[in-house]
Every structure is written in structure tokens, then in C-alpha cells.
């Protein structure tokens, strides 16, 4: 997912557990842990407002002999991944359950770092197929889909009553922003994972791609990919995206919109919570729509979180029970209603209570139906780093779009061959 979460501090309702009997160890029998039950740890990205401990307290109340301890990592997804990789390479089992970005699941599974899960328990018909796909590697599930996501376009409805649906309309609306002495558009353009997301949205919306669906061939050297990257470069050149956005990650870009500095924002649904708060400067003055594209709504990058069980956990059975519980309807309702995130359970998108609390759900569902996963490959980290490096150079104006695409094609080829 890669624009990060923000949690609310609202009270979390009690959740019930459906205990499941799952079996398995390391992806290739390499795990040193057992299938016993007992205390476990759960590591995730930084919890900004305290909602996660409240949720986990419900599990602990129901399972006093199998309590989960929450380990809060950095807000940076890159730092989170580094923490997980260091632990997994050491085979320590410090993190029994890991909050894995959907693009890490294939990589971790390929290394034998994740325990296989029972698809009947965590990938049944009620779970969105796209979410199941992110958690599957070579036909086996190695993650329990916990949250799915796709970016939305936040816009100042008091200044632009009708959101733009095309890039041309967006750029035309930038004149309104300039008239109000505001920046027009913000996304995540610092050289980190968020840039991969933004670049992917521009390139896939234009009909391009980085790799073939099976991740074995480089496909980025195309007119479509050039058109997508050119769109971003042009917006930086003409000032529609401010130079400051080259430093923006999720929170910085959200702050620019929440403070009234920026008219349009591409970000995950979590921003809705802060924008709707009683003390928000833009409460009642914003709307949410699908991202624009060349000829109509664009294609967002599919984000989300899979919960992975370490192959080196000493209490895998409890860990597997726990990830199934986190996917239960009661827990997923908390995810949507309290945390303003997108559920992996399809039925919740039409739940009257949830749509009342999160009115953007119908729009989000439309965005998710056309959302495109980032490259699914065990070499994802190297692939993403290559995208970040070459795209960032183009946005800075250090290399032409054509040069950046050619460089990227070579770097991607090296990345997938070295895996």
C-alpha cells in the first residue's frame, strides 16, 4: 500500500474470533519454529493515534494464554521492510506476524520466510479476488489479506464543484488554484516507494507497464509508458506540481491539502478522517473522486496489507489463528469504520452502517475494480528502487523522458535477472 495509514483514536468495538485449525511451516520447510500455540508478536508500521492496540486488546481478552504484543515500527515503508528482512534473514522469529505490504509477499515467500496458509480460511469467496492474488505465490497463499486500497483524488469542492476526470481537465483546473494562490496538485514524489506508486498510476493509466504480468519480461520501453511519465514531468515543469513535492511522502502531501495549501491531492482513503475532523480547515469543503487519466478515470495502484506468518515463529498456530481473526467480519468492520481503510471483504462495501460512516466507499469500490497491482515479482525491491531512481531523475529534469525510460528498461532487466 504504499501511501501509509493513519489511525483514529475512536473506541474499538469488541470483536469475536473464529478459531481456525491451520497447519504448515516454512515455505520450503526451512522454518525452525513450531506449530504450537502461545504468546506472539505483531509488527506493523507506526500507529499514529492508538487504534491498533485497542483492536489487539480484544484478541488478548479472548485469548489470555495467547496474547499478542504489538511492535510498532517506523512510519517509512522502506524502513519497515528493512526491519523485517533483517529479522527473517537471521531466522530469529522476533516478529511472529508481520504487516506486509502486498508487494513484499511474493518476495518473502520466494525466500522461504513465510509459512503457507490455508486458502479456505483466509482466501475464501468472500475475500476480494485481487486481494487474494496479492497474497498468493506459485499457487499457495502466504499472506492473509487484511486491507486493500487504492488512491483517490481529493479535491476542494468549494473551489472546483466538479472533479476532473481527465488530465487535461485537471490541468485546466490548476488555473483556479493559481487564482487562489494555492498549489494545484500533490502526490508522493520523494525518492521512495510512494514514487513507484505515483509513477505506476501515471504509466498504467496511459496504457503502459513496467513488466509483463508474470514478471519475467521488461515492457516499460513503450510509447504508452513515455506518455505517462511525460505527463508528470510536464506538470512539474509548468508548476502544476510544486517543486516542493519532490520531498513529499504520504504525510507531507496530506498536510499540504489539509492546511489549504493545495487544491488536489492523490492519497489513500485515510486522509478522509483528518479532513472531516471538527477542527479541520477544510471540513465540508472537499470531495473524493477517482484519479483522472488521459481520456477518463485513470488506474490507481492497488495497495494493501497482507498479514504474513514468519516461518521461524515458535507459535505458528496462534499466529495463523490471529491473522484469520484479523480478517473476520467484526475486525474488518473496525478497519473500515474506525480506521477509514478499505476492507478485503466484498460485502462490506454495501454495508449501510459503513457507507454512512465512510461515504466514499462506492467511489473507492469503483477505483479498486480498475486498480492495477505494482509488478508482482520476487525481485520487487530491486524493481522498485530502479523505478524510483530513474523516474526521480526525470522529474528533477536531470534526464529526458526518453532517456529515463531507456535507463529504466535496462535497470529493470538487470533487477529481474539478478534475482
Amino acid at each position: 500500500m504504499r501511501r501509509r495509514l493513519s489511525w483514529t483514536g475512536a473506541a474499538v468495538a469488541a470483536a469475536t474470533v473464529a478459531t481456525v485449525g491451520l497447519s504448515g511451516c516454512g515455505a520450503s520447510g526451512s522454518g525452525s519454529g513450531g506449530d504450537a500455540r502461545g504468546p506472539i508478536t505483531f509488527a506493523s508500521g507506526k500507529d499514529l493515534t492508538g487504534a491498533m492496540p485497542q483492536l489487539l486488546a480484544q484478541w488478548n481478552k479472548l485469548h489470555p494464554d495467547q496474547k499478542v504484543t504489538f511492535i510498532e515500527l517506523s512510519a517509512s515503508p522502506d524502513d519497515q521492510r528493512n526491519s523485517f528482512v533483517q529479522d527473517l534473514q537471521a531466522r530469529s522469529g522476533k516478529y511472529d506476524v508481520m504487516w506486509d505490504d502486498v508487494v513484499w509477499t511474493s518476495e518473502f515467500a520466494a525466500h522461504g520466510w513465510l509459512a503457507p496458509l490455508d486458502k479456505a480460511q483466509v482466501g475464501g469467496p468472500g475475500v476480494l479476488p485481487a486481494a487474494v492474488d496479492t497474497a498468493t505465490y506459485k499457487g499457495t497463499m502466504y499472506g492473509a489479506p487484511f486491507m486493500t486500497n487504492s488512491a483517490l483524488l481529493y479535491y476542494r469542492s468549494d473551489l472546483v464543484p466538479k472533479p476532473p476526470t481527465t488530465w487535461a481537465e485537471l490541468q485546466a483546473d490548476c488555473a483556479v488554484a493559481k487564482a487562489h494562490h494555492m498549489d494545484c496538485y500533490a502526490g508522493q514524489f520523494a525518492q521512495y516507494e510512494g514514487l513507484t506508486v505515483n509513477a505506476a498510476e501515471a504509466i498504467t493509466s496511459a496504457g503502459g507497464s513496467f513488466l509483463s504480468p508474470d514478471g519475467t519480461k521488461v515492457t516499460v520501453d513503450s510509447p504508452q509508458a513515455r506518455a505517462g511519465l511525460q505527463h508528470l514531468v510536464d506538470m512539474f515543469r509548468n508548476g502544476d506540481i510544486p517543486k516542493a513535492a519532490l520531498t513529499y511522502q504520504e504525510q507531507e502531501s496530506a498536510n499540504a491539502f489539509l492546511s489549504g495549501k493545495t487544491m488536489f491531492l492523490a492519497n489513500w482513503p485515510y486522509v478522509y478522517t483528518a479532513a472531516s475532523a471538527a477542527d479541520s480547515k477544510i471540513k465540508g469543503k472537499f470531495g473524493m473522486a477517482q484519479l483522472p487519466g488521459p481520456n477518463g478515470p485513470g488506474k490507481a495502484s492497488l495497495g494493501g496489507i497482507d498479514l504474513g506468518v514468519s516461518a521461524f515463529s515458535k507459535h505458528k498456530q496462534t499466529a495463523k489463528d490471529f491473522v484469520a481473526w484479523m480478517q473476520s467480519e467484526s475486525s474488518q468492520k473496525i478497519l473500515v469504520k474506525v480506521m477509514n481503510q478499505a476492507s478485503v471483504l466484498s460485502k462490506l462495501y454495501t454495508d449501510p452502517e459503513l457507507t454512512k460512516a465512510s461515504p466514499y466507499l462506492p467511489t473507492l469500490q469503483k477505483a479498486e475494480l480498475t486498480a492495477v497491482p505494482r509488478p508482482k515479482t520476487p525481485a520487487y525491491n530491486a524493481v522498485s528502487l530502479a523505478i524510483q531512481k530513474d523516474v526521480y531523475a526525470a522529474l528533477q529534469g536531470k534526464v529526458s523522458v526518453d532517456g529515463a525510460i531507456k535507463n529504466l528498461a535496462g535497470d529493470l532487466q538487470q533487477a529481474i535477472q539478478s534475482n
Side-chain angles (χ1 to χ4, degrees):
M1 123 185 170
R2 299 304 298 197
R3 303 177 179 90
R4 301 313 306 165
L5 286 180
S6 176
W7 306 103
T8 68
V12 178
T16 57
V17 61
T19 302
V20 296
L22 306 178
S23 61
C25 52
S28 57
S30 60
S32 59
D35 280 337
R37 287 188 170 89
I40 60 171
T41 59
F42 169 51
S44 87
K46 186 174 179 61
D47 179 1
L48 299 178
T49 63
M52 184 60 79
Q54 294 179 56
L55 173 58
L56 302 185
Q58 304 306 315
W59 167 273
N60 289 339
K61 182 178 180 179
L62 293 165
H63 303 82
D65 297 326
Q66 302 176 63
K67 288 188 175 181
V68 58
T69 297
F70 181 47
I71 300 177
E72 186 179 35
L73 302 177
S74 165
S76 164
D78 297 328
D79 290 344
Q80 293 165 32
R81 180 188 172 279
N82 289 338
S83 296
F84 291 145
V85 169
Q86 290 172 10
D87 179 74
L88 294 166
Q89 287 179 332
R91 305 163 67 94
S92 78
K94 177 182 177 181
Y95 308 131
D96 294 286
V97 176
M98 294 168 290
W99 161 289
D100 294 343
D101 187 279
V102 292
V103 296
W104 301 340
T105 302
S106 292
E107 176 191 3
F108 290 2
H111 286 292
W113 292 340
L114 298 178
L117 303 178
D118 187 339
K119 185 174 182 178
Q121 298 290 350
V122 296
V127 183
L128 292 168
V132 173
D133 183 60
T134 68
T136 304
Y137 178 68
K138 291 188 175 180
T140 299
M141 290 198 72
Y142 288 98
F146 174 62
M147 179 181 73
T148 189
N149 227 339
S150 65
L152 294 172
L153 180 73
Y154 292 80
Y155 65 98
R156 285 289 298 272
S157 56
D158 58 329
L159 302 177
V160 183
K162 182 182 178 181
T165 59
T166 67
W167 289 343
E169 291 174 359
L170 171 66
Q171 290 180 284
D173 285 340
C174 286
V176 178
K178 292 176 182 177
H180 287 81
H181 308 290
M182 301 168 66
D183 291 330
C184 184
Y185 183 89
Q188 296 74 51
F189 299 107
Q191 190 174 337
Y192 81 118
E193 179 64 25
L195 180 56
T196 299
V197 171
N198 281 254
E201 288 166 346
I203 287 174
T204 57
S205 291
S209 61
F210 296 112
L211 301 177
S212 59
D214 62 4
T216 62
K217 296 180 181 179
V218 175
T219 58
V220 75
D221 194 350
S222 70
Q224 294 84 359
R226 283 174 171 79
L229 181 55
Q230 188 70 59
H231 165 66
L232 293 180
V233 168
D234 288 345
M235 289 191 75
F236 270 100
R237 281 179 179 170
N238 62 28
D240 290 341
I241 303 177
K243 292 294 184 183
L246 289 170
T247 66
Y248 284 178
Q249 296 192 21
E250 279 81 10
Q251 198 56 51
E252 291 84 0
S253 63
N255 289 343
F257 183 73
L258 294 169
S259 67
K261 179 181 177 181
T262 300
M263 191 166 72
F264 293 111
L265 168 70
N267 212 322
W268 305 104
Y270 82 87
V271 178
Y272 174 84
T273 302
S276 302
D279 60 349
S280 170
K281 292 183 178 180
I282 60 171
K283 182 180 181 180
K285 299 178 181 179
F286 75 97
M288 299 165 73
Q290 290 179 256
L291 296 177
N295 303 303
K299 294 182 179 180
S301 291
L302 183 69
I305 294 295
D306 296 331
L307 300 183
V309 174
S310 172
F312 313 108
S313 169
K314 294 180 174 62
H315 296 138
K316 288 193 189 74
Q317 193 61 65
T318 292
K320 293 175 180 181
D321 291 349
F322 172 71
V323 299
W325 176 79
M326 290 285 273
Q327 198 191 74
S328 67
E329 183 174 336
S330 55
S331 296
Q332 289 286 300
K333 281 189 173 182
I334 291 170
L335 179 75
V336 179
K337 187 174 182 180
V338 180
M339 301 174 180
N340 274 304
Q341 296 299 323
S343 174
V344 297
L345 302 181
S346 56
K347 66 183 295 184
L348 297 188
Y349 285 85
T350 56
D351 183 283
E353 180 186 12
L354 297 181
T355 54
K356 181 178 180 180
S358 303
Y360 59 81
L361 284 178
T363 300
L364 180 60
Q365 186 177 32
K366 291 180 181 179
E368 288 179 345
L369 289 174
T370 59
V372 178
R374 282 159 286 163
K376 189 176 180 182
T377 168
Y380 181 80
N381 191 57
V383 165
S384 181
L385 290 175
I387 295 170
Q388 295 167 35
K389 175 178 71 72
D390 293 320
V391 169
Y392 195 69
L395 299 185
Q396 288 179 304
K398 292 183 176 180
V399 63
S400 68
V401 168
D402 184 63
I405 291 294
K406 289 181 178 178
N407 292 341
L408 181 54
D411 290 340
L412 291 177
Q413 187 65 44
Q414 182 176 358
I416 63 176
Q417 287 181 338
S418 62
N419 181 60

